[in-house]
Every structure is written in C-alpha cells, then in structure tokens.
Amino acid sequence: MTDYNEMKALTFDDRDEFSRKPIAEKIIKLLDSDINVSPLIIDGKWGTGKTEFCFKLKNLIESENSNEYKVGYVNAFQADHANEPLLTLIAEVAGFYGENNDKRQSFIASAIPYLRLVTGLGIKATLSFAFGRYAADIPDELADGIDEIKEGSKSLIDQSLESLIKDQVEAEKNLATLRDALTDIASTNPIILLIDELDRCRPDFAVMMLETIKHVFDVKNVQIILVTNVEQLKATIKHSYGSETNSHDYLYKFFKYQINLPTVSKDEANGNTENNITYFHSAVQVSKVIPEDFKNSSYIYDIAKFTEIKHLSLRNIEQIVRCIETLIIFEDNSKSRNPEVEQLLIVFLSFVYIANKNLFEQIRDNSIQASDILGFSSCEDINLPSDNSILEQYPTKFLILLILHNLTEDRFIRTSNYEGNMDYESSRLIELILNKFNFTHEVNFSSYHVIESSYIYKYIDHTINNLLLFDIVK
C-alpha cells in the first residue's frame, strides 16, 4: 500500500534510482515558459512510481520557486467518496491561504454561487470535507441555507421550478465570477495543481473531474498537471460513454501536453536497464529482514536481469521482495547446506511465483515444459559447446537451468559431441561455475547433470510449499 505520509517529503536528492530528476526539471521549464501547456498529463503505467514522482516534482517546484507558485496536491482517489470534484479543487486552492486572509475569504465567497448550483451544497459532510477547518468562514447566507436543509425545510429536490430556472439563468454568470476569482487569486501567486490517482477512481467521478478542469480551471496562471495511467483513463471514458466512444479523441480534447515516464533508465555502463530491475536491487538493499550476506551476493541480482519480468510493475517487485523476506523468516538456517545456491532459489522461485504462475505450477509438479522455462529465462535451447557464452557470461542463469533441467519433460541442455561427452572447454567452464557455487558434489561429472537424489530438489519442494502458505495481496 502506498504510504503517502512517507512520500510527501521525498525529494530527488533522497533517492532517484530511475534518473527522473531531469524529467521533472524539463516539466518545470515548460511550466515556467510562455508555452501554454496546461492541462498537462504525466502518463505512467500502474506501479511505475507515479505518485512518488508527483511528490518529488511538487517539492522540486517549491524548492526552486522563483515564480512564487502555490503548489497543491490532490489525491483524486481519496476524494471520490465525496463525489464533488469541484469542491475538492476549490478547497485545495482555498487551503493555500491562512484563516484570516482576505484573498481566501473573497475566493470562497465568489465560489459559493456556482458551487451551490452544481453541488446543491445540501450535504454538510461534503462541505466539511471540502473546506475543513475553514468551514467557520462560510458566509452567513450559506450557513443559513445549510441549517434549513438540516431541518428538512428545504432541499435541492424541493426547490420550486421557478427557483431552478433562476439558478440556471445565473449559472454562466456564476461560473464567470468563479473563473474571475481564480484568475485574481492566481495573479499574485500562480497556481499549480497536481491531480494524482484519477485512474483509480470511479468512472463517473473521473469524467466529472476532467469536465471540471476544462470548464472551470482553464484560466490564466492556473496550471493543472494530471498524473495518471492514460490507458486506464481511456477505459474509464469508454465505461462512462460506451464502448463505441473514441476515448483517445475525448481525452485529448482536455490536454495540451503529455509527458511519458520512461520504464527504462541508464545503468553504469550507459546501457538501458528496466526500472523494475533497478528497483529490485534498491528494494533488497533497504529491506530490514534480508540479511547482509544475502544482500551482498551479486548473483541474486542477476536473476532480475535474465528473467522475463518486463511486464512486472514496481508493486510486483515489492511483492517479490516480500516473498523473499517471508521465505527468509520461515527458513531454519541450522539446516542450510549451501546458502549461496539456496539464496538463488529463494529469489528465482519468488520471481516465478509472482511473474508466471503457470511455470510455478510446472516446477511444483516436477514437469516443466522446456519452452516455458527457457522463455522465462530469456534464452533458447542450450547446445554446448556452440553456446558456451552462457557459461561465461551468465553463470547464475546456467546453474539454475542446470538444476531445473532434471524436472523437464524434454531436455534442453545438449552437447554436440555424438558420444554425449562434454568438450574440454565446456567442461572447464561448467566446473568453474560449480566450484564458484560450491555445488560440485551435487553433479554427475560424466553427464554434467545434477544427480536426481540431490538434496536441492527437496529444498525446491520445501521453498514452494512455503510460498504456497501465503499470498501477497498488496
């Protein structure tokens, strides 16, 4: 679960494992420029760290605030229970100013006629949600109206047709008054509102929020940044308006710019590394459960590099690390026979458990399809010695595949020698790997297969059974 309180104070100086500070700096340059970029949408898939980026961006804007911006953050998902997006946004703007500030009082007073029309303001709880501690400053005439509603003498439904028509006639005037008030309050301190988690909201609330942004907040010196999963938002639009709706055209009539959060970052060699691989390393390092010898093993991080996990979100990576932590807690270290290999299997099986349930079940049933394990391990059939590169470059991958080879229905590690004997160079490289992991005594050197009676297969069963004891649900 996202810990918003922990994230609120985060900056790019605290951590920036995905090298996103330059992206935030470019966004600020756009906001500072004469280009009209608002509303701007920042697109990222679920679990890619959008909310953390949102808070870091907010804090960066405020720390380098030459334009004296007022920067607000709205969690749309937390607000959708009130069902009044306009109230939510107005309240965020009002919250920029202290209790006795004239700007705030004037702004609230200007907002009330339009709020009254579009919300009815007959729900005291909604009003309290929106204005919180500022509720005491609501003008007397509105407070009187609330008392009347509470007493049951008046409600929006009970208003006369004449009153409804009068309100409708005044709607455009009231909207203009509200927009003028927004323009006025933003003339001294330009406003930036970051709206997060809209992709998690009810479809009707999400659409209402979009309409509110377009019709009310498209004014000078007020800039809106929506941080969301665009594809999910398009699905929300289709849910509200029907499957035949062109959700792409509907969505982009609201927005002028889109920034795409990349899913890869540069590694130390200036190559592209998937963010979830980078995140796995950092999540293991900060764990309070995983012991230091486990963290310091470079081999466990190799697993994230060669397994097929591109589709996994950062939340999935967190789930994998929690699996690893739980398995570590379950372990009886006094029974450990080969910590290095056991650590590798804990990590590998945790990845399989979260990323590929079908393969996990095959391993559990000792009937792995070669194509599935090879696909998950990002390789094809291993033919030695022509494929000796796997022995030289990916020793961790080869060791795991060597162990699982006995569980496959169709063997995938083959030699080109017609007598079935390994050539000298392949043998030398395999023995180096086995020595590295202290695993020589578990292998038959005539065939270079793991012996079927090896304890490691009982250990795999043991680890799988432990994984099946629980589910990581968040």
Side-chain angles (χ1 to χ4, degrees), residues 408-420:
T408 58
E409 296 179 351
D410 42 348
R411 302 300 173 90
F412 54 84
I413 299 177
R414 303 183 180 90
T415 66
S416 58
N417 187 309
Y418 70 92
E419 294 179 352

Side-chain angles (χ1 to χ4, degrees), residues 49 54 66 72 75 130 173 275 309 319 342 351 372 400 420 445:
C54 189
S66 58
N75 185 316
K173 177 182 176 182
N275 285 347
I309 60 168
Q319 292 174 320
E342 291 162 13
F351 268 97
D372 290 335
I400 289 176
F445 277 83

Side-chain angles (χ1 to χ4, degrees), residues 26-40:
K26 289 181 174 69
I27 292 172
I28 293 173
K29 285 182 178 180
L30 282 173
L31 296 171
D32 290 343
S33 73
D34 291 329
I35 302 175
N36 185 4
V37 300
S38 176
L40 179 151

Side-chain angles (χ1 to χ4, degrees), residues 376-391:
F376 187 73
S377 304
S378 304
C379 65
E380 299 177 352
D381 283 7
I382 302 169
N383 292 291
L384 302 175
S386 59
D387 292 337
N388 274 358
S389 59
I390 190 174
L391 303 175

Side-chain angles (χ1 to χ4, degrees), residues 89-289:
L89 298 178
I90 292 294
E92 187 66 22
V93 175
F96 291 145
Y97 302 93
E99 292 185 23
N100 299 318
N101 189 285
D102 291 338
K103 277 183 173 286
R104 178 182 51 73
Q105 292 177 345
S106 175
F107 176 64
I108 291 176
S110 299
I112 280 170
Y114 190 67
L115 287 168
R116 201 180 168 111
L117 174 70
V118 298
T119 68
L121 284 182
I123 306 174
K124 193 171 183 179
T126 300
L127 193 64
S128 298
F129 163 78
F131 292 104
R133 59 192 175 92
Y134 305 120
D137 298 305
I138 296 168
D140 291 340
E141 62 269 22
L142 181 61
D144 293 338
I146 291 172
D147 290 338
E148 291 177 0
I149 293 169
K150 184 178 179 181
E151 293 167 6
S153 59
K154 181 180 179 181
S155 70
L156 185 60
I157 297 175
D158 294 333
Q159 288 181 37
S160 65
L161 181 60
E162 179 181 352
S163 177
L164 288 171
I165 293 172
K166 181 179 178 181
D167 280 344
Q168 190 61 45
V169 169
E170 292 293 311
E172 289 302 320
K173 177 182 176 182
N174 293 341
L175 176 57
T177 300
L178 173 55
R179 287 165 59 91
D180 287 345
L182 271 170
T183 303
D184 179 64
I185 204 171
S187 60
T188 305
N189 300 106
I191 292 171
I192 297 174
L193 289 179
L194 294 124
I195 302 173
D196 189 21
E197 302 276 31
L198 195 62
D199 47 354
R200 297 178 62 196
C201 294
R202 299 188 332 271
D204 59 330
F205 181 84
V207 170
M208 282 195 296
M209 179 67 82
L210 292 173
E211 297 284 355
T212 299
I213 292 168
K214 178 178 175 63
H215 295 302
V216 180
F217 285 81
D218 187 13
V219 300
K220 186 177 181 180
N221 289 330
V222 175
Q223 302 193 84
I224 303 290
I225 301 176
L226 190 67
V227 185
T228 191
N229 179 337
V230 167
E231 290 306 311
Q232 179 59 33
L233 200 53
K234 288 179 182 178
T236 292
I237 292 166
K238 283 184 176 290
H239 184 277
S240 293
Y241 290 107
S243 59
E244 300 303 316
T245 302
N246 187 327
S247 58
H248 181 276
D249 288 352
Y250 176 89
L251 181 61
Y252 290 108
K253 75 179 182 180
F254 293 101
F255 297 99
K256 297 183 175 70
Y257 259 75
Q258 177 169 315
I259 301 292
N260 303 309
L261 288 183
T263 58
V264 298
S265 53
K266 294 294 184 182
D267 57 24
E268 293 179 357
N270 204 35
N272 289 331
T273 300
E274 294 288 331
N275 285 347
N276 49 18
I277 293 175
T278 304
Y279 190 57
F280 173 69
H281 184 279
S282 62
V284 168
Q285 288 295 313
V286 300
S287 170
K288 296 179 181 178
V289 175

